[in-house]
Amino acid sequence: MCNNTFKETNMATIAFIGLGNMGAPMAINLAKAGHQVRAFDLSREAVAKVVAEGGSAATSAQEAVEGAEVIVSMLPASQHVEGLFLGNGSQAGLLQGIAKGALIIDSSTIAAATSQKVAKAAQALGIGFIDAPVSGGTGGAIAGTLTFMVGGSAADLERARPLLEKMGKNIFHAGDVGAGQTAKICNNMLLGILMVGTSEAIALGVANGLDPKVLSEIMRRSSGGNWALEVYNPFPGVQEASAATRGYTGGFGTDLMLKDLGLAQESAMTVKASTPLGGMARQLYAAHSIAGHGAEDFSSVIKMLQKKG
């Protein structure tokens, strides 16, 4: 039986599975806070980064969760989360190796139905589960200023809160299990639409001879201001810390945005909601991915909107 609270005076043993651009700095922040973090990822380099900051390496996900009080997962898509916890084919799911009384915090962005399916199986084994997808980008993950959108019971959220506070500064209880995922896909649909619109506006201004820095500042301080203009400008050189200035590397990939926009459209079809701009943004990102930019940051969508020649 695992402890039910994870406070400053009671540091937790945490299995952290999935150490991508977001997961690695999140795991590092937990390790720096004094928690015992067992890190696992298919990338040895990613694991090494966490170990260098105070974590320990696990050779498998199964090893990572042995005796862990908390399991944090940050995986690419629904099939990865379902496969990890519930298994597939002849491979047993990770739930069988997690101690009764432990808490799963899944920060992946996946379908709400998948979160609900995994939660139901976990709860049947006496294991807590919350879906807690995040917003704030890689910069927020590094700084520990992420926004968590949580679905699950109020009791499980309170158990997780001391840990979430080491990784983020805004924690919202969206509702029951799956509600966090719904909030996240709504947010990311809007983000995709805003990035396309911001890119289109900057590309138009530059085609007319405007300085992208000047134009971006004008729009940032005017009625067109939005998060992309504030901290994630899609035009290279406008903001030193943006993925665009790093050659569209190290951020939130085009294919991940495309996946999230697809989840939004699936949800819209399920509840018969009208999302024409979300659908158009998905089509644009699909075309951008097909053109070979799937691994680049999603702000690279500006490339398909810029004047050629």
Side-chain angles (χ1 to χ4, degrees), residues 130-131 149-154 157 172-180 183:
I130 61 172
D131 53 298
M149 309 163 205
V150 179
S153 72
L157 170 56
F172 293 100
H173 190 192
D176 294 334
V177 171

Side-chain angles (χ1 to χ4, degrees), residues 158-293:
E158 291 311 307
R159 291 176 64 195
R161 188 179 295 277
L163 305 183
L164 300 181
E165 288 175 343
K166 297 303 179 184
M167 300 181 284
K169 68 175 184 178
N170 299 305
I171 302 168
F172 293 100
H173 190 192
D176 294 334
V177 171
Q181 299 296 348
T182 300
K184 177 61 186 291
I185 63 172
C186 290
N187 178 80
N188 276 23
M189 182 179 74
L190 179 59
L191 175 60
I193 293 167
L194 288 173
M195 184 58 76
V196 170
T198 298
S199 297
E200 192 171 89
I202 293 175
L204 174 61
V206 171
N208 277 283
L210 295 184
D211 183 321
K213 286 188 177 181
V214 174
L215 175 60
S216 294
E217 185 64 10
I218 290 170
M219 294 191 296
R220 187 180 75 84
R221 294 180 178 272
S222 302
S223 56
N226 64 71
W227 186 81
L229 287 169
E230 287 284 344
V231 299
Y232 218 81
N233 198 290
F235 200 95
V238 173
Q239 290 170 335
E240 184 178 348
S242 72
T245 303
R246 301 192 304 268
Y248 300 104
T249 62
F252 182 60
T254 290
D255 281 346
L256 289 175
M257 173 55 79
L258 179 58
K259 181 260 295 183
D260 290 357
L261 290 168
L263 289 173
Q265 291 306 295
E266 290 171 11
S267 177
M269 287 188 289
T270 299
V271 298
K272 295 181 173 59
S274 178
T275 55
L277 291 180
M280 184 175 293
R282 183 189 185 189
Q283 292 176 13
L284 290 170
Y285 274 101
H288 190 51
S289 177
I290 290 169
H293 304 284

Side-chain angles (χ1 to χ4, degrees), residues 119-136:
K120 183 177 180 180
Q123 290 161 1
L125 296 172
I127 300 167
F129 181 98
I130 61 172
D131 53 298
V134 302
S135 181

Side-chain angles (χ1 to χ4, degrees), residues 93-138:
L94 203 59
L95 287 182
Q96 304 304 318
I98 297 174
K100 184 178 181 180
L103 175 66
I104 297 170
I105 302 172
D106 181 40
S107 287
S108 316
T109 299
I110 60 175
T114 301
S115 291
Q116 292 160 350
K117 182 177 181 180
V118 175
K120 183 177 180 180
Q123 290 161 1
L125 296 172
I127 300 167
F129 181 98
I130 61 172
D131 53 298
V134 302
S135 181
T138 53

